Amino acid sequence: MLNHNLVTYHQSEHRLPSGEISDATKKIIYKLLENGFEAYLVGGAVRDLLLGLHPKDFDIATNATPEDIKHIFKGKCRIIGRRFRLAHVYMGGSIYEVATFRGSDEGDRVMKKGQIIRDNVFGTIDQDAIRRDFSCNALYYDLHEETILDFAAGVHDLKKGELKLIGNPNKRFIEDPVRMLRAVRFHAKLGLNLTDEMKQTIINNRNHLSNVPTARLFDEAVKMFHCGNMEIAYNTLSELKLFEILFPKAAKIAGKEAVWHDFLIQAFRNTDHRLQNGLSVTPVFLTACVMWLEFLPIYHQLLNSGKNSHDALHEATTLVMISQRENLMIPKAIQNGVRQMWILQLRFKKMFGKGVYSSLHHPRFRAAYDFLLLRNEVNAELAQKVEFWTNIQTMSPEGIKSLIFGKKVKRQKVSYDL
Ligand code: ATP
Ligand code: MG
């Protein structure tokens, strides 16, 4: 055992608000304990509770193997993952991740160019702790004793407001380059400071992100989009030259033209505000905002080459999605959502006739309307459309009818510039 670094904090010292822990989490942990295993609340939940925040999820760590967990929870458990096998336990309408302690036997881990490809070597709690990414993520809460087990000075770093990697930063970032994105996210979300040394290590290692499966990068990008402080995350990603790795074309355009930089900042601010006000968010929205920078010049180019607006829009969308695929894989469902939001931007140009109804009742209307508002902030020419699509939402059916079919309606030819 490597317990010489272990510090145990009692309730009177750590004051973790255990009442915030969900009943289902408690149930799972006690069931594992009753079956003779060790089980702790671990990771982000302990960290967030200590910071006075509401945890996004409750992760559990145990010395029970995935098979043991399956045996205990039977039909309520599913074993998932290849790179990192763990158990999902369904309880109280939610899914809980129950992970078996990882060992430190490097010989059995599957590595490629210093990067961990598969990691299913089980071990003890202290080995598990030092395999985690940041010191504040290596805290274990013992529900029964009400103690926090801290193997890597995480409580101390949290108090100082610092995000510290466990072990050698260079090695840990190469082992799993996604940790660089997690560092930025925790900095933005929790206000934890990144030291200059950590920033430099990230800049030096940023190209390793190209070794990460592109679908995993998209998942991380979405977690970043929805971290609640995306404006800060974006500024930090730009400073550390990471934004250009995730979205190279958009980064180039935003770097050259202030108006597009401002557009992105405004988009991120809007999402931050929505989250702060408890409103729903969809990954489609910010994906559409970021990709718009690249889409727009291609769309106009195709239009100028004689394509009609419909074909130009579909072709430009497809081209943008194909080129983005090399860096970060946007799932098909999200791609479709983005395409629909963009089609609605074209449809919003037509402010008379039957088409108005189909735009208004389109399932993506809300997101597309918010997107129109955002575009209006960088393009004053959209003001008339914003007024029309804003007013129509509060009008009576009769009012709408006379507005879009009335004699006074100007059925001028619609231009398809976006
Ligand atoms: P949040 O849930 O708020 O995003 P989190 O820290 O709980 O933050 P999860 O992705 O839920 O993040 O992971 C749970 C825990 O697993 C982390 O706290 C950390 O201890 C460990 N972990 C997750 N990803 C990694 C990684 N890439 N490398 C090392 N440890 C990791
Ligand atoms: Mg978590």
Side-chain angles (χ1 to χ4, degrees), residues 42-45 47-48 56-59 97 182:
V42 70
R47 177 198 70 211
D48 290 355
K56 200 175 81 203
D57 45 40
F58 294 95
D59 300 315
E97 273 189 18
R182 289 173 59 86

Side-chain angles (χ1 to χ4, degrees), residues 310-343:
H310 179 268
D311 291 350
L313 191 137
H314 282 287
E315 208 173 311
T317 307
T318 304
L319 287 172
V320 164
M321 294 300 171
I322 289 174
S323 97
Q324 179 61 40
R325 208 155 62 189
E326 285 172 30
N327 303 79
L328 176 153
M329 178 69 113
I330 302 172
K332 265 273 149 28
I334 309 281
Q335 289 188 25
N336 289 339
V338 170
R339 192 184 288 270
Q340 287 170 352
M341 265 177 69
W342 291 349
I343 291 171

Side-chain angles (χ1 to χ4, degrees), residues 226-384:
H226 297 164
C227 76
N229 262 324
M230 184 56 203
E231 184 183 354
I232 295 178
Y234 170 66
N235 288 330
T236 312
L237 284 173
S238 303
E239 181 192 347
L240 303 181
K241 304 181 193 299
L242 295 175
F243 193 69
E244 62 196 54
I245 292 188
L246 300 178
F247 300 104
K249 302 256 168 60
K252 204 165 173 189
I253 294 168
K256 271 203 298 221
E257 299 174 51
V259 62
W260 290 117
H261 169 83
D262 296 348
F263 174 83
L264 287 185
I265 291 279
Q266 198 52 51
F268 298 144
R269 261 185 209 162
N270 288 359
T271 295
D272 292 346
H273 284 155
R274 285 188 72 84
L275 287 161
Q276 280 150 20
N277 292 311
L279 299 171
S280 66
V281 288
T282 156
V284 171
F285 187 78
L286 282 186
T287 306
C289 294
V290 175
M291 304 306 292
W292 182 252
L293 275 58
E294 182 182 349
F295 162 84
L296 205 53
I298 302 178
Y299 171 76
H300 282 137
Q301 207 177 11
L302 291 170
L303 211 55
N304 291 338
S305 75
K307 294 244 160 84
N308 68 43
S309 59
H310 179 268
D311 291 350
L313 191 137
H314 282 287
E315 208 173 311
T317 307
T318 304
L319 287 172
V320 164
M321 294 300 171
I322 289 174
S323 97
Q324 179 61 40
R325 208 155 62 189
E326 285 172 30
N327 303 79
L328 176 153
M329 178 69 113
I330 302 172
K332 265 273 149 28
I334 309 281
Q335 289 188 25
N336 289 339
V338 170
R339 192 184 288 270
Q340 287 170 352
M341 265 177 69
W342 291 349
I343 291 171
L344 279 166
Q345 302 309 303
L346 263 186
R347 291 223 210 138
F348 284 160
K349 291 181 149 277
K350 208 168 163 193
M351 295 179 280
F352 54 82
K354 262 196 329 220
V356 170
Y357 288 120
S358 55
S359 299
L360 201 52
H361 297 125
H362 193 284
R364 290 269 170 218
F365 174 80
R366 188 72 227 173
Y369 168 74
D370 286 345
F371 189 60
L372 180 71
L373 295 185
L374 183 67
R375 291 177 57 215
N376 182 49
E377 302 207 17
V378 295
N379 181 357
E381 286 170 29
L382 296 173
Q384 195 202 347

Side-chain angles (χ1 to χ4, degrees), residues 43-44 47 56 59 132-133 137 176 179 182 185 189:
R47 177 198 70 211
K56 200 175 81 203
D59 300 315
R132 291 180 181 266
D133 46 5
N137 285 347
D176 184 0
R179 289 172 186 151
R182 289 173 59 86
R185 176 155 61 90
K189 176 177 159 176

Side-chain angles (χ1 to χ4, degrees), residues 83 111-117 173-178 180-181 204-217 245-246 326-328:
R83 191 180 141 271
M111 308 285 287
K112 196 172 154 194
K113 294 188 203 151
Q115 195 181 331
I116 302 175
I117 302 299
F173 281 141
I174 295 173
E175 241 176 38
D176 184 0
V178 161
M180 296 187 262
L181 300 177
N204 295 346
N205 285 300
R206 66 189 194 282
N207 287 327
H208 289 285
L209 276 169
S210 59
N211 302 329
V212 176
T214 51
R216 187 169 173 224
L217 285 185
I245 292 188
L246 300 178
E326 285 172 30
N327 303 79
L328 176 153

Side-chain angles (χ1 to χ4, degrees), residues 6 9 11 49 65 68 135 311 367 374 377:
L6 172 63
Y9 293 91
Q11 173 63 34
L49 287 171
T65 64
D68 293 330
S135 64
D311 291 350
L374 183 67
E377 302 207 17

